[in-house]
Amino acid sequence: MTTNLPFRTLKRATDSAIRKRPQPKRAHLVQSSTFTTSLRLRVEEDVDPADRPRWQQTPKAMVAPVPTNFKREHMTFKVNESQEKLDEVYVRILGAGGDRLLPEEVKWLAITHKSFDHGRRGFNDRLAYFGKRVVDLQTSLALLTAPDPEIQNSSNPQLDEFGRTPFQHHSLNGLDKLTESAKAKELDKSRLAQLAESYGLAKVIRWKPKNTRNLAGSGIDVVLAHTIYAIVGAITLQNGGEIGNRIVKDRVLNPLGL
Amino acid sequence: MGAFEGIDKLGRYQPPTESCRHDHIPSPHPEAAVHSPKLAALHARLSLPERLPLQTLARSLVDVSADSDPAFNNSSLAILGSDILGYYTSEFLLCHYPRLPMVVLFAAQSAYVGPKTLAALSQEWGVEAAACPGGEVDPGLLQFTQVDPGAPPPDMLKPGTTSRPNDDRHYRRGLSSRIVYDDQFGDMKANPDSGIAITGSSTSFPSSPSRSQPTFPPPSSSLSSTLTSHRPNLGPDRQPTASRTTAYAPPPSRNGTTHERARQTFVRALCGALYLHCGKPYTRSFFRAHILSRSLRPSTPSPATSSLPSSSAPQGLASLFAFTQPTRDLSRLCAREGFEPPVARLISETGRASRHPVFVVGVYSGRDKLGEGAGSSLDEARFRAAANALRGWYLYTPGEGEVSMPSETEIGAGGGNGRERGGGKKYIPPFIDPGEVVV
């Protein structure tokens, strides 16, 4: 929207840095990832809260001064906060050097679900959306070239009931294997969740289940599948399509059987 | 095949002989494709390369409701084409608009490669539809069986037919779960084995590995008396396994599809065919020329913008936003990003006591103005200002020369970015945003 203002020039927000809220340097209440009834005072000596990375803390202005919820300690869901554990899982998924393919913030963002911390530390929806597009396309291409002993050899085409043979071209080989049901079977969420479990992702994803004692009923399968897609999406965006496609083929489709 | 020459020794067009009319088959014989002026005209009109054979173009015009044999219809090509279009569109949107909220991303995806857009695209290309499918139809026509008007939509989802658990319980369907369960537009899709037509892909029948299984109902005796019936002329070296000597009856229209879905499937199938025959560079340039060249214009004015003059209504992706409480969202966004809390200030006003006042309100974070809006009341102006501020945040786009897309790095993609080429443009990873604000 533009309007003419003769007595004031419009100052674009991008021209000047938007001033951030001043952060006083003092010992203060640090919001941890678990909600407790008692306030815990922790003094940070080495790292100033203003310099801590986004993934590590909830933004100060979004936290109420006094928590008003009364979660039971044994029901709170604890998530991983260790960079080393996360790097180990990335190396398991992506191979040697896998922990260096992504910057630190993106590594944490890719395994953070929207349910974690009410979405205040970011979440991996966009990455998962793009990752799903990459995986879908690579699955279709892999189905074209997958060997399938059930389908008759396409070099000897069978006549159909009307006595006709389809048009043959080397580029169209394998199209009969590409069906919606084949794709849906390959990318079934329970299979992806099993793959994620085998990589150890369930221990490092940051999410909040509906019921801590029933993770399956809370939908851990969907969250794990979502995280697999998010990691694929992050790799592809950060390193390009060539590396992303290779990771999908080697680390996702190959273990699934394609 | 000696009977299908097309051009004789003097260069004159030879119409196809009687034996290849084949009106007892569900779709035209592949060899009839080289004789169709409509098909050749379509091929030329779209400037398609020679590498794409006319026979494949003809196959991409045959919907599954016309011919359920997957070797003769466009269902597999459409699956591949849908994935290709989805990939290219989503990488474009995410690299150029890294902060788009998910719901807007779904809407933008649908705007670029959604059902209505692809159907409109095929209309613009001049693709006409046959009234009824059959073997005698010109191969250059779009062939599908029209579903009866008033009948239940072919892709209507029933409880228990989607891949979501508990879909009969009407749980709230959140945005995050749509990414795993639903299609690229965030719409629910049917389980492929449920027998319901899948939106975007016309595989409404389970695929059969052997093509000799008939999937059509046998023709009624009354039809066989009116239509000609003759054996197919296949040449001496081919023996039909089961020859049909009676006329072919189209499948019942309850298994049909809509005009729009058939068109959408054709465009997807064409993209899939181009990818397979012509490769990645051509497909990418085809996508840029036909899809990305389109501009987004809202078809109906939304209530939020109807009071504004048309020149100031948001254009392009900005028109896809709809805020319910923009002031609250902006406040939470500033809190999350560590900005000073937003404050609305009146910039100018006129006609406060008249029937048509105009108030111009700006929303400021400290000394920086985030957004500005005009309205006929103070509240309206404040809400518009907050909405504009949010649009300004979410529609952030990097400079045109600084955006590289993941598909450019693929070997053989022709983007000039591959490291193996040496001297190509370096791949700059796009900005990855944490996500939209959750209130």
Side-chain angles (χ1 to χ4, degrees):
Chain A
M1 290 210 45
T2 56
T3 50
N4 285 327
L5 293 180
F7 49 83
R8 186 186 291 247
T9 52
L10 295 171
K11 192 163 171 241
R12 271 195 250 151
T14 50
D15 285 346
S16 67
I18 294 181
R19 197 170 305 145
K20 291 200 180 249
R21 174 184 286 231
Q23 302 280 351
K25 289 186 184 15
R26 57 178 166 77
H28 61 283
L29 300 170
V30 173
Q31 182 72 24
S32 66
S33 60
T34 59
F35 291 92
T36 58
T37 51
S38 61
L39 303 168
R40 285 191 286 146
L41 188 71
R42 215 193 296 165
V43 175
E44 295 290 340
E45 282 148 341
D46 42 347
V47 180
D48 188 10
D51 299 330
R52 282 168 81 194
R54 277 184 86 128
W55 62 264
Q56 228 176 33
Q57 62 176 356
T58 315
K60 289 285 167 301
M62 296 188 96
V63 177
V66 175
T68 52
N69 49 357
F70 300 98
K71 293 284 182 191
R72 292 170 285 268
E73 186 74 55
H74 63 279
M75 292 283 282
T76 54
F77 187 75
K78 294 178 182 42
V79 296
N80 172 50
E81 287 173 13
S82 148
Q83 182 74 49
E84 286 77 28
K85 278 207 187 121
L86 183 68
D87 285 346
E88 267 170 46
V89 170
Y90 270 104
V91 168
R92 281 181 72 171
I93 300 176
L94 304 170
D99 53 337
R100 288 189 297 275
L101 279 176
L102 294 174
E104 184 196 342
E105 282 286 352
V106 178
K107 264 196 274 193
W108 283 99
L109 187 67
I111 49 98
T112 305
H113 191 250
K114 200 171 181 181
S115 55
F116 178 68
D117 199 16
H118 303 286
R120 293 183 290 197
R121 292 194 221 179
F123 44 95
N124 56 7
D125 269 9
R126 268 188 223 111
L127 296 173
Y129 179 78
F130 183 61
K132 178 109 197 308
R133 305 279 77 77
V134 175
V135 170
D136 269 354
L137 179 55
Q138 293 305 312
T139 309
S140 296
L141 295 173
L143 279 171
L144 289 180
T145 52
D148 195 343
E150 288 174 9
I151 308 287
Q152 282 113 6
N153 196 349
S154 57
S155 63
N156 296 327
Q158 286 255 328
L159 297 176
D160 69 344
E161 48 159 336
F162 302 103
R164 45 182 189 160
T165 51
F167 171 67
Q168 300 290 328
H169 196 281
H170 63 87
S171 302
L172 301 178
N173 280 345
L175 263 183
D176 49 354
K177 286 171 267 180
L178 179 53
T179 58
E180 279 289 347
S181 48
K183 268 188 82 176
K185 280 198 187 75
E186 283 300 326
L187 298 179
D188 188 35
K189 73 163 198 267
S190 48
R191 295 187 75 210
L192 279 171
Q194 263 176 2
L195 178 70
E197 294 265 11
S198 71
Y199 283 137
L201 258 184
K203 298 282 184 296
V204 293
I205 52 172
R206 302 200 298 179
W207 69 306
K208 184 160 178 286
K210 181 166 173 268
N211 183 353
T212 339
R213 291 177 185 161
N214 182 9
L215 294 185
S218 304
I220 191 172
D221 277 2
V222 185
V223 176
L224 286 171
H226 191 99
T227 310
I228 292 271
Y229 290 137
I231 293 174
V232 167
I235 296 283
T236 312
L237 282 176
Q238 192 67 33
N239 302 287
E242 188 56 40
I243 296 178
N245 293 342
R246 209 164 44 225
I247 297 281
V248 172
K249 281 188 256 216
D250 296 340
R251 300 294 181 167
V252 179
L253 296 180
N254 204 358
L256 288 179
L258 269 183
Chain B
M1 299 294 295
F4 306 98
E5 261 128 14
I7 304 289
D8 69 359
K9 287 193 284 281
L10 298 174
R12 290 174 300 202
Y13 170 70
Q14 288 295 321
T17 55
E18 193 62 38
S19 57
C20 72
R21 281 207 184 269
H22 299 310
D23 55 353
H24 60 283
I25 50 175
S27 63
H29 204 281
E31 273 117 354
V34 295
H35 297 283
S36 165
K38 265 192 168 48
L39 200 62
L42 178 65
H43 198 284
R45 197 158 60 239
L46 297 180
S47 307
L48 298 176
E50 295 257 344
R51 285 167 290 169
L52 180 73
L54 283 170
Q55 291 90 339
T56 310
L57 184 60
R59 178 175 169 177
S60 67
L61 284 162
V62 179
D63 191 66
V64 67
S65 57
D67 188 345
S68 71
D69 191 330
F72 292 93
N73 66 28
N74 61 12
S75 51
S76 300
L77 288 170
I79 295 171
L80 180 63
S82 170
D83 293 335
I84 290 163
L85 290 173
Y87 173 55
Y88 286 153
T89 311
S90 60
E91 71 166 4
F92 167 78
L93 287 171
L94 285 175
C95 291
H96 286 81
Y97 301 98
R99 285 199 179 125
L100 276 188
M102 270 317 293
V103 66
V104 178
L105 186 56
F106 282 134
Q109 186 90 357
S110 178
Y112 275 108
V113 288
K116 289 195 180 348
T117 309
L118 297 184
L121 197 58
S122 76
Q123 299 260 11
E124 289 163 16
W125 288 346
V127 173
E128 293 160 343
C132 193
E136 75 284 7
V137 162
D138 192 311
L141 294 174
L142 179 67
Q143 297 140 60
F144 66 101
T145 303
Q146 177 94 30
V147 67
D148 284 331
D155 54 350
M156 191 170 77
L157 297 168
K158 300 184 189 64
T161 56
T162 67
S163 55
R164 286 174 171 267
N166 301 316
D167 56 1
D168 51 341
R169 304 237 185 133
H170 306 290
Y171 286 167
R172 187 181 67 87
R173 189 166 67 100
L175 282 174
S176 293
S177 65
R178 292 182 197 204
I179 293 164
V180 175
Y181 285 124
D182 300 336
D183 65 9
Q184 56 177 304
F185 312 116
D187 297 325
M188 280 208 283
K189 57 182 183 181
N191 222 350
D193 300 325
S194 63
I196 295 179
I198 294 171
T199 310
S201 159
S202 21
T203 315
S204 52
F205 310 105
S207 60
S208 52
S210 159
R211 282 196 293 278
S212 61
Q213 284 175 17
T215 51
F216 297 102
S220 58
S221 56
S222 59
L223 274 170
S224 59
S225 60
T226 51
L227 299 169
T228 54
S229 57
H230 50 266
R231 296 179 67 83
N233 180 16
L234 298 167
D237 52 338
R238 289 191 202 171
Q239 299 299 323
T241 51
S243 64
R244 291 178 68 100
T245 53
T246 49
Y248 155 70
S253 50
R254 67 170 178 274
N255 291 334
T257 183
T258 59
H259 197 118
E260 182 185 289
R261 287 186 65 230
R263 288 186 171 278
Q264 159 205 342
T265 315
F266 154 65
V267 176
R268 288 179 171 156
L270 179 60
C271 290
L274 285 172
Y275 190 92
L276 290 176
H277 282 290
C278 309
K280 284 184 216 176
Y282 184 78
T283 314
R284 284 184 64 240
S285 66
F286 184 85
F287 171 78
R288 272 200 302 270
H290 288 276
I291 307 287
L292 286 190
S293 59
R294 301 175 76 85
S295 64
L296 177 61
R297 206 166 290 124
S299 52
T300 51
S302 64
T305 59
S306 52
S307 64
L308 294 171
S310 56
S311 59
S312 57
Q315 297 291 324
L317 289 179
S319 62
L320 296 178
F321 285 81
F323 298 105
T324 50
Q325 289 197 37
T327 49
R328 181 183 66 169
D329 294 355
L330 183 63
S331 164
R332 297 300 278 168
L333 179 65
C334 290
R336 192 186 79 173
E337 298 299 318
F339 303 155
E340 297 194 33
V343 173
R345 297 199 176 101
L346 185 62
I347 295 172
S348 65
E349 60 165 297
T350 178
R352 187 183 278 248
S354 73
R355 197 177 184 276
H356 299 285
V358 175
F359 299 97
V360 180
V361 168
V363 170
Y364 292 83
S365 170
R367 297 180 65 87
D368 302 300
K369 182 159 70 171
L370 303 178
E372 181 187 291
S376 51
S377 70
L378 285 165
D379 275 339
E380 183 191 343
R382 181 165 57 91
F383 293 146
R384 287 196 192 278
N388 289 333
L390 284 170
R391 276 194 205 98
W393 174 266
Y394 285 135
L395 287 172
Y396 158 73
T397 181
E400 192 50 52
E402 297 160 18
V403 180
S404 32
M405 291 196 280
S407 63
E408 290 167 4
T409 63
E410 288 171 19
I411 294 172
N417 264 9
R419 289 194 193 94
E420 72 285 353
R421 294 194 177 208
K425 213 166 49 155
K426 196 170 171 313
Y427 176 71
I428 307 165
F431 173 64
I432 296 179
D433 183 69
E436 66 263 28
V437 65
V438 175
V439 265

